[in-house]
Amino acid sequence: MRARAFAAALTVLALSASMSAQRIALGIAPAYDAGGDDFGPLLVQHLTLYIYQDLIGSKQFAPSLLSPGGVYTPLDTSWLTEYVQDRPELDLLLVSTLKPTFSDKTSSTIAIELDLLDAHTGDTKSTWTVTDVTNKSKSEWFAKGEAAVTAAINGRANEYGGVDILTTSTDFEKQPIGHSTAHLADEIRDTLPAHLGGFVATAGKPADPPAPAVALPPCTMHTRITYDYRHSVSHSYTLLANNLDESTTIADGTSTFKVPEGPLLLQFTVNDAPYRLTKEPIYQLSTFHSCKSDTLVIDLGQGGEAHQHWQ
């Protein structure tokens, strides 16, 4: 299963020597739903995660999940390039858009349009499309996956607040919709190198954080979510760290838990956002955890965009 594969990739990275500093730093924008189908939100949330998981062990790419907020749209990528101005290490940005599904009596074709952008100028370097064809009608294909995921959510709603991607990845990936989403992510991973147009990582940019030569014991870290423009801190949010639920560790707005050094995937929702904040329904972002810094601050701006820094 993908969750196990992701855990294995993190283990390999934690035990290996540091990868080359010349890996291409790739910012992954949230997959955007422009399809108009009922299953769209479910598919794009998982697709974003799957793309990151497929690339996390890559020798060519250093993936980073971005959270540009609820105002983000692929129709105007200027907001995205403005959002990453404080991320000079990024080389390229990957923008994926779910297009309307084509269906006939026997099959459905799901299409994802991809744009590869220069992270510094916003110029489009390449555009292409990947597809998945299922031999089921659209309604049958989605209904099976939706029923399983909905049942899982209902069974855990009181504990997790009904947040689907934070709790149902295993349920999702077993269903036809999950298989299709995984196939699309694999196609994106496999076709991406052919669309670089000879691009190589910027020479002389900061090296990847060194990974320990041997496995080190987990160290304590803290996470805070702030609304700095309102001079306030979130006191009500759910949180997964590398697929483990850490929501119960939150006290007075700060989560405290132990995690090994290495890539850190965070997924969270905020329940006390300021009025009119255009937030993402589910935030997914990644960083590199080092025991030299123990507090990660995630600040949500007025457009719902998430910026992060270690203290």
Side-chain angles (χ1 to χ4, degrees):
M1 290 186 289
R2 298 187 78 88
R4 293 178 182 174
F6 175 61
L10 292 181
T11 300
V12 169
L13 287 175
L15 292 174
S16 68
S18 178
M19 290 187 175
S20 169
Q22 295 306 306
R23 286 198 301 165
I24 297 172
L26 180 69
I28 302 171
Y32 190 83
D33 178 18
D37 293 302
D38 291 341
F39 59 79
L42 194 64
L43 189 150
V44 296
Q45 289 170 6
H46 285 82
L47 180 64
T48 304
L49 177 63
Y50 286 0
I51 294 171
Y52 172 76
Q53 290 176 332
D54 275 358
L55 293 173
I56 189 63
S58 169
K59 294 182 179 180
Q60 186 175 13
F61 299 99
S64 182
L65 282 174
L66 307 177
S67 294
V71 299
Y72 160 71
T73 169
L75 298 177
D76 180 8
T77 55
S78 60
W79 171 255
L80 183 61
T81 51
E82 181 179 345
Y83 162 72
V84 298
Q85 283 185 350
D86 62 349
R87 300 287 302 276
E89 80 281 6
L90 292 177
D91 296 308
L92 299 171
L93 305 175
L94 182 65
V95 175
S96 53
T97 305
L98 173 64
K99 309 300 286 186
T101 303
F102 172 78
S103 298
D104 55 28
K105 294 181 179 179
T106 60
S107 67
S108 295
T109 301
I110 308 156
I112 303 293
E113 184 178 273
L114 297 142
D115 292 292
L116 195 62
L117 312 179
D118 185 301
H120 306 290
T121 66
D123 294 340
T124 300
K125 301 189 68 65
S126 184
T127 298
W128 73 105
T129 301
V130 298
T131 60
D132 179 77
V133 179
T134 175
N135 59 3
K136 299 180 181 294
S137 68
K138 181 170 64 175
S139 59
E140 180 185 3
W141 172 81
F142 176 61
K144 290 185 65 177
E146 183 184 40
V149 173
T150 300
I153 292 172
N154 291 340
R156 288 172 258 183
N158 291 335
E159 183 177 358
Y160 294 101
V163 181
D164 53 8
I165 197 171
L166 300 185
T167 62
T168 62
S169 291
T170 301
D171 304 293
F172 177 83
E173 65 189 24
K174 293 178 181 178
Q175 306 306 317
I177 184 176
H179 295 317
S180 294
T181 305
H183 178 257
L184 289 165
D186 291 345
E187 286 293 301
I188 293 170
R189 175 199 62 203
D190 295 342
T191 58
L192 180 59
H195 291 271
L196 295 177
F199 180 87
V200 295
T202 304
K205 72 175 184 176
D208 295 335
V214 297
L216 299 176
C219 55
T220 300
M221 68 163 287
H222 313 281
T223 301
R224 292 201 308 271
I225 299 174
T226 65
Y227 311 109
D228 193 52
Y229 74 101
R230 294 290 296 271
H231 308 290
S232 63
V233 176
S234 175
H235 287 82
S236 178
Y237 57 95
T238 59
L239 176 69
L240 285 189
N242 285 347
N243 293 326
L244 297 178
D245 177 40
E246 302 293 354
S247 301
T248 58
T249 71
I250 300 171
D252 296 326
T254 300
S255 61
T256 302
F257 53 92
K258 290 187 176 182
V259 65
E261 287 194 332
L264 178 62
L265 166 67
L266 296 176
Q267 299 161 285
F268 64 91
T269 63
V270 289
N271 307 317
D272 56 358
Y275 180 59
R276 291 186 177 179
L277 176 71
T278 310
K279 65 177 182 178
E280 293 183 21
I282 296 164
Y283 284 88
Q284 302 185 97
L285 56 82
S286 61
T287 185
F288 193 96
H289 171 241
S290 169
C291 292
K292 295 179 180 179
S293 302
D294 65 1
T295 300
L296 179 66
V297 178
I298 303 169
D299 183 57
L300 302 187
Q302 296 185 58
E305 71 278 16
H307 296 273
Q308 53 181 300
H309 66 275
W310 287 93
Q311 291 182 343

